[in-house]
Amino acid sequence: MTSPLADRLRPQDLGEVVGQRHILGQGKVLRRLIEGGTIPNLIFYGPSGVGKTTVARIIAEKAHKKLYKLNGTTASTSDIREIVENLGSLEAMGGVILYLDEIQYLNKKQQQTLLQFIEDGSITLIASTTENPYFYIYNAILSRSTVFEFKPVEKEEILPALGRARTLLEGELGEKIEISGEALEKIATLSGGDVRRALNSFELLALSGESADGVRRVADGSVEEVTTKSVMRYDRSADEHYDILSAFQKSIRGSDPQAALHYLARLLQAGDLISACRRMLVCACEDIGLAYPQAIPIVKACADIAMQVGLPEAQIPLGDAVVLLATAPKSNSGCMGIEAAMADIAAGNTGPIPRQLQNKHFDGAEVKVKGQFYQYPHDFPNHYVEQQYLPDNLKDRVYYQYGENRTEQAAKGYWEKIKGK
């Protein structure tokens, strides 16, 4: 029992792998590749503890090739060169498999060192990464590999693994482990889809249980001590951070207060108060906008309160703000308008500012008609007078279109009446 339970219970064949039915189920592509014996270069992408290393080891064992293992966090260029130098040896005559864990930590030069040997087939690469491979892995390697995404394991699939762990530990300890179904469910739920974490939590609970009369009892309350809060996958520099923020804004935009509150809670549980406030301020301007302009100062006030009081009390004003945003009428007309204007500027569509808008009062000799001729709108009925404001080459450009909501339609009706349209 010197190694962690997750290692002692590591699956030896594909049938024992927990989860990943979308790629390892009967008839699925990855399973057919493995069972067919022809192993291409593979990249496994997904969070930790979901079976990437396990599946890679199973593949390597079935391939009957010389296996090398490297970890991107510690591997050096000399480690890669050493593997390359052994390619001509007798034991590597059939080719080699390089299992490269955390490949995203290799720099571009190190990845390029592998490329020639991946390309000619003398090295078969099986790499794993917790980061999006399309951002972190050299394109030439990506183009010669097949990417499979591993997903967090569902609670219902973790529970059978806990059952196997219980059987194994009972045999090792020589005692029956008494633990409630509720406690097992809580371990599976709080693992955040990480099988390794669930197994290690179970082992810790079992070893710390009270032992008497051949029974080791795990108290329900001890689960809370081991997992004091939900083990949520969250790293401000990783994909999960951006996935949660994306889901948060899309739930607000989609007018779903239940989902919006859920993703807000995940941000706050991770202590990411700043990201939550920033995203809500963006939502107020981008997605609610002119349909309910009051939302902008209200959300700003809620964010200010949240930052002033801090967590956990910050959840109260932010909860109010999120429900307001999710249930408010929506309009992105202002956002679309400025994006269209920015696109014109980026494309070089500008032009001279009309003379009547310029901030100058002296006409040079080259100006035939002297005077600025600006008309002050407040001197006219309804504080409006028709005059050209856009440059000549853009005078008919339309950036802003009134939204269909009541507020913008009221403004549209007002100005159509004033302008006589």
Side-chain angles (χ1 to χ4, degrees):
M1 293 174 56
T2 55
S3 61
L5 176 61
D7 287 336
R8 305 200 303 276
L9 202 64
R10 191 179 293 277
Q12 300 303 309
D13 59 59
L14 295 177
E16 296 177 358
V17 175
V18 178
Q20 313 312 328
R21 296 300 97 193
H22 65 291
I23 53 176
L24 291 175
Q26 290 294 338
K28 298 299 181 181
V29 174
L30 181 55
R31 190 182 189 104
R32 294 204 310 269
L33 284 172
I34 297 170
E35 292 177 342
T38 302
I39 309 300
N41 298 305
L42 300 170
I43 295 175
F44 295 160
Y45 157 50
S48 60
V50 296
K52 301 188 301 297
T53 301
T54 295
V55 173
R57 288 180 176 178
I58 292 173
I59 293 173
E61 289 171 3
K62 290 181 177 295
H64 304 298
K65 292 185 177 182
K66 175 67 177 176
L67 174 65
Y68 292 93
K69 300 177 185 177
L70 290 178
N71 189 294
T73 59
T74 58
S76 64
T77 303
S78 61
D79 293 324
I80 298 172
R81 286 175 179 161
E82 185 178 341
I83 294 173
V84 170
E85 288 169 0
N86 287 333
L87 289 177
S89 65
L90 185 62
E91 61 179 358
M93 288 295 289
V96 303
I97 287 182
L98 170 60
Y99 174 55
L100 184 50
D101 197 12
E102 303 291 358
I103 187 177
Q104 74 270 17
Y105 290 108
L106 291 188
N107 60 40
K108 186 175 181 180
K109 182 178 180 181
Q110 289 174 315
Q111 293 186 41
Q112 286 175 323
T113 303
L114 290 170
L115 185 59
Q116 173 189 345
F117 303 96
I118 292 173
E119 203 165 33
D120 65 18
S122 52
I123 288 180
T124 299
L125 177 68
I126 302 177
S128 67
T129 175
T130 56
E131 306 291 350
N132 191 324
Y134 299 100
F135 294 158
Y136 293 94
I137 298 179
Y138 185 40
N139 283 335
I141 289 180
L142 274 176
S143 67
R144 292 162 177 79
S145 307
T146 304
V147 178
F148 288 97
E149 182 179 2
F150 283 59
K151 299 179 179 180
V153 180
E154 298 293 332
K155 177 186 72 174
E156 291 73 20
E157 294 179 296
I158 293 177
L159 285 171
L162 291 176
R164 293 195 296 273
R166 183 178 188 174
T167 301
L168 176 65
L169 269 182
E170 286 179 340
E172 292 176 344
L173 296 171
E175 295 178 300
K176 178 180 174 59
I177 298 173
E178 188 177 282
I179 183 171
S180 69
E182 181 182 349
L184 289 172
E185 290 241 356
K186 187 168 291 186
I187 294 170
T189 300
L190 297 182
S191 68
D194 185 328
V195 181
R196 181 168 55 242
R197 188 182 293 274
L199 294 175
N200 290 340
S201 295
F202 175 78
E203 182 178 31
L204 179 59
L205 287 165
L207 294 177
S208 63
E210 294 184 3
S211 179
D213 303 323
V215 177
R216 193 174 286 260
R217 294 176 175 83
V218 177
D220 287 349
S222 61
V223 178
E224 308 293 341
E225 297 176 24
V226 173
T227 52
T228 54
K229 62 165 65 174
S230 173
V231 182
M232 184 179 59
R233 298 183 184 279
Y234 194 82
D235 182 340
R236 287 184 176 91
S237 65
D239 292 342
E240 191 70 15
H241 166 72
Y242 299 104
D243 287 346
I244 292 176
L245 289 177
S246 175
F248 182 43
Q249 180 161 2
K250 288 172 181 173
S251 298
I252 291 174
R253 182 184 297 146
S255 303
D256 188 334
Q258 320 307 334
L261 285 169
H262 171 80
Y263 292 115
L264 172 64
R266 289 174 70 162
L267 289 167
L268 299 183
Q269 184 77 355
D272 197 352
L273 184 58
I274 293 177
S275 292
C277 289
R278 289 180 61 195
R279 186 60 53 167
M280 289 166 60
L281 289 167
V282 171
C283 288
C285 299
E286 178 182 350
D287 298 308
I288 287 77
L290 300 174
Y292 182 45
Q294 296 93 326
I296 298 172
I298 291 173
V299 171
K300 175 62 166 62
C302 289
D304 288 346
I305 294 170
M307 295 303 294
Q308 185 172 354
V309 301
L311 289 168
E313 289 86 354
Q315 68 187 24
I316 301 170
L318 294 188
D320 290 339
V322 163
V323 172
L324 174 72
L325 292 174
T327 57
K330 306 295 188 294
S331 173
N332 69 339
S333 58
C335 175
M336 297 295 289
I338 187 58
E339 286 183 359
M342 293 294 288
D344 255 357
I345 302 305
N349 295 326
T350 53
I353 294 173
R355 177 69 182 90
Q356 66 270 20
L357 303 184
Q358 293 174 9
N359 184 31
K360 63 180 179 179
H361 306 279
F362 171 75
D363 291 314
E366 78 282 357
V367 178
K368 295 181 179 180
V369 181
K370 309 296 184 182
Q372 188 174 19
F373 305 111
Y374 172 64
Q375 300 183 79
Y376 188 57
H378 296 300
D379 289 340
F380 294 85
N382 300 308
H383 305 269
Y384 172 76
V385 62
E386 185 172 352
Q387 62 185 323
Q388 181 181 326
Y389 292 93
L390 279 169
D392 289 342
N393 59 313
L394 297 172
K395 65 179 182 179
D396 296 320
R397 183 77 88 239
V398 176
Y399 296 121
Y400 170 67
Q401 301 276 5
Y402 288 100
E404 298 299 323
N405 58 84
R406 183 173 61 184
T407 301
E408 289 182 84
Q409 285 299 304
K412 179 183 179 184
Y414 172 81
W415 285 110
E416 285 180 345
K417 180 179 178 181
I418 296 299
K419 296 178 181 181
K421 295 182 179 180

